[in-house]
Structure formats: C-alpha cells, structure tokens
Amino acid sequence: MSNQELLKEAIAIKNKAYVPYSKFPVGAALLSRSGKIYTGCNIENAAYPVSCCAERVAIFKAVADGVYDFSEMTVAADTERPVPPCGSCRQVMSEFFDSSMKIHLSNTHEQTKTLTMNELLPFSFQSEDMGERG
C-alpha cells in the first residue's frame, strides 16, 4: 500500500470527526502488517478530558479487533505544517508501534513529513521501565 492511499483514508475519516468545540478535525489511518486499515477521527466532548484523538481511536479499534502488529500510520489535519500528534497519542503509539515504524504526518496541502516512532518520541516510557511488580 502506498503512502498516498493511506493518506486518502486519513483524509476521508477526518471529514467524519466530531469537533463541535475546537473545529479542528483530524484523521488517522493505521495499516496493520496483514494489510487491513484501521481509521480514526477525533471525537470531542463538552468535558474536554474525555475526548479522544484520531490516532488513539484508530489504534484502539485495531486492538479491540485483536490486532497488535502495524506497519505504518498516516495522520492528516487542516494545518500549515504536517500535524504532530499530541503527547498522549505519542505515548500510546509507543506502546504498540515498533521504534522504527514510519508515521506520516500531513497538512492541508497534503504535504507529508515522515518520522519513525523513535524520532517522534525518543526515550519513551516503556513497560520494561516498570520493572517486576508483585
């Protein structure tokens, strides 16, 4: 699958975002190693902390489907620079993505910036950091 195909999926789901407060729609398309695409859009709530970003929606849909192996993700928003994921999304992404996985970030003009997971969140908190418990 090409980056352009994944970008089209991210843009299509972006248009379904529920953003009555911020008016800032974001779409994400996550490609599993098996070739299935999981999409997500941001979903807001009047109580902002319970809102959920597009990246996490796509990841959670895949995980709820029993999928944990991914090859790449594209994120799209109506921004001037390629849209960076928030810190919460980066941490969730680091939980499920290999450090070398490519993440394509896109903007209004469909320009993309590609980073690896490690470039997006270097020195991330990992399960190994918790040590043995119990």
Side-chain angles (χ1 to χ4, degrees), residues 46-93:
Y48 263 33
V50 297
S51 298
C52 197
C53 299
E55 300 92 328
R56 285 181 282 149
V57 170
I59 293 166
F60 296 164
K61 283 170 66 175
V63 170
D65 213 18
V67 176
Y68 300 92
D69 291 326
F70 307 107
S71 57
E72 59 187 307
M73 175 181 252
T74 297
V75 183
D78 297 328
T79 53
E80 283 304 309
R81 68 178 181 154
V83 64
C86 75
S88 295
C89 286
R90 292 176 196 216
Q91 183 59 43
V92 170
M93 292 162 80

Side-chain angles (χ1 to χ4, degrees), residues 95 125-134:
E95 179 76 18
F125 184 79
Q126 298 289 317
S127 60
E128 299 84 39
D129 296 318
M130 296 173 65
E132 288 205 28
R133 305 281 176 227

